[in-house]
Amino acid sequence: MSEALTDAPRELGTIRVLARERSGTQRAPVDIAVDVDALARSGREVVAVMRVEGTAPLEGVSLQEVAVLARAWRARGVRVRGIEVDHDCATTALAGYADWLEREQAVLGGELSLSITALPTWSGSPALPRLASLPDHIVLQVHAVRAPTLFTAEQARGFVEAWARVTDRPFQVALPTYRVRLRDGTPLSAEPREVARFLAALRERPVAGVSGLVWFRLGHRGDTEAWSLPTLTAVVRGEPLAPRFLPRLVDAGGGALDIVLENTGHVDAEAPTRLSLSGKLEVLDGVAGYTARGTSLVARTPPRLRAGERRVIGFVRGSEVALALP
């Protein structure tokens, strides 16, 4: 994570860090392990986040839980701007959520700003104007709102426009950078090109009230379900997102050659479904989802390679062997 904080594009601005969670049906308190020293070294402005699961009322939960952590981070040199509540409140319970926020704001003492995440489904509630008037900042989540869709540019645009019509408060838009699997195993992915398409339309036709973007989440080497940093950087900067794969033969010893595929572009993407070989092949086999078919390696579900990632997808033995993408 320390490396990700250093390498993340400066355009990201404030970093939101999960500090405290109320988890499960009992909302058990969970402290999150945070590399506070890395946050301090990064010099980036930070918001400490408290996530509260479930849609039930918030009795027994206090902002003091995360405010204490935020102040402790400050004492260790982190540039903490404020705290954020990530709570997917039921629309019918928004009035109670507003009561809770109004009451709990006092614990911040004016030294920490308060922001909340918001759902597009709240836009029809009569309680929204009062709720939206309470925090200093609002972050509208436009991903993972309507199952089984994770993100589409059209749906996100509709959410943003609908929100702008019902509140005159500026708001940020939270965009996804991750993949998930549903309980039945169905994969859902926030495709970089789809998010880039939303951003291009927003630049071309701005929506009144949109004050910035928030990205969920900042990927690192160990987080294979999030975009790589090169991909995030390219999307943030509006750079071209054409994938580029380079196949190679690497001496594996004993007369065998590993077949290696490398993503040399700066966007995460699915690898090709087929690689063809030529020469006098004696043995050919595939791994990582690829199987040999004649003089080709074929993948029914090709692997997804992060920008800069290389992977062995097979091996071959023979003479005058060469390979190329189809």
Side-chain angles (χ1 to χ4, degrees):
M1 179 53 75
S2 178
E3 183 179 320
L5 287 170
T6 300
D7 296 341
R10 303 308 301 184
E11 293 92 331
L12 293 189
T14 302
I15 302 291
R16 286 163 165 78
V17 180
L18 183 62
R20 176 80 166 180
E21 193 165 27
R22 285 293 195 128
S23 181
T25 55
Q26 301 301 315
R27 286 183 173 162
V30 178
D31 282 329
I32 309 298
V34 175
D35 189 343
V36 179
D37 292 334
L39 292 177
R41 286 194 303 272
S42 75
R44 291 177 180 269
E45 195 175 56
V46 168
V47 168
V49 176
M50 182 166 76
R51 179 186 296 151
V52 183
E53 289 188 349
T55 59
L58 293 163
E59 282 82 5
V61 180
S62 173
L63 288 182
Q64 188 66 36
E65 301 172 35
V66 67
V68 167
L69 296 171
R71 292 180 182 117
W73 292 1
R74 267 186 177 173
R76 294 175 61 182
V78 181
R79 294 177 57 212
V80 180
R81 185 188 78 186
I83 67 171
E84 182 168 290
V85 181
D86 179 359
H87 174 48
D88 293 346
C89 181
T91 303
T92 54
L94 287 183
Y97 186 23
D99 292 341
W100 181 84
L101 276 179
E102 190 169 40
R103 187 170 62 247
E104 289 292 323
Q105 272 184 310
V107 308
L108 303 182
E111 60 175 302
L112 294 166
S113 67
L114 172 64
S115 64
I116 64 170
T117 60
L119 297 175
T121 49
W122 295 357
S123 60
S125 169
L128 180 61
R130 176 169 168 253
L131 175 71
S133 71
L134 295 172
D136 301 293
H137 308 282
I138 294 174
V139 180
L140 180 65
Q141 175 183 324
V142 297
H143 55 94
V145 176
R146 290 177 179 163
T149 301
L150 180 57
F151 179 88
T152 70
E154 287 76 15
Q155 191 178 71
R157 177 81 187 195
F159 290 152
V160 170
E161 291 180 342
W163 188 268
R165 285 194 294 270
V166 298
T167 174
D168 57 2
R169 293 291 308 277
F171 61 97
Q172 295 173 291
V173 178
L175 296 172
T177 69
Y178 62 93
R179 297 186 299 167
V180 295
R181 282 191 181 276
L182 301 180
R183 290 181 178 176
D184 64 1
T186 303
L188 298 179
S189 177
E191 290 300 321
R193 291 181 192 80
E194 187 70 3
V195 178
R197 194 162 67 87
F198 167 79
L199 289 177
L202 193 61
R203 284 192 289 268
E204 184 177 341
R205 294 182 294 119
V207 177
V210 175
S211 60
L213 303 171
V214 174
W215 297 89
F216 184 81
R217 58 192 184 247
L218 180 61
H220 54 83
R221 288 183 184 276
D223 184 3
T224 59
E225 299 302 322
W227 294 356
S228 66
L229 283 178
T231 297
L232 176 59
T233 302
V235 173
V236 167
R237 295 177 178 171
E239 296 174 352
L241 297 176
R244 187 165 59 241
F245 288 97
L246 177 65
R248 293 176 179 170
L249 294 173
V250 178
D251 189 351
L257 297 168
D258 281 339
I259 303 170
V260 178
L261 192 61
E262 180 177 2
N263 183 349
T264 60
H266 56 196
V267 59
D268 309 337
E270 282 191 354
T273 57
R274 175 185 292 268
L275 272 79
S276 298
L277 295 92
S278 61
K280 299 174 183 177
L281 309 186
E282 299 171 6
V283 177
L284 173 64
D285 204 355
V287 295
Y290 285 87
T291 57
R293 186 175 300 172
T295 58
S296 297
L297 289 180
V298 178
R300 177 174 297 178
T301 305
R304 188 179 187 85
L305 269 60
R306 292 157 67 85
E309 181 180 357
R310 65 180 63 183
R311 189 172 300 185
V312 175
I313 62 170
F315 68 93
V316 62
R317 186 191 302 272
S319 58
E320 301 176 10
V321 177
L323 56 75
L325 295 174

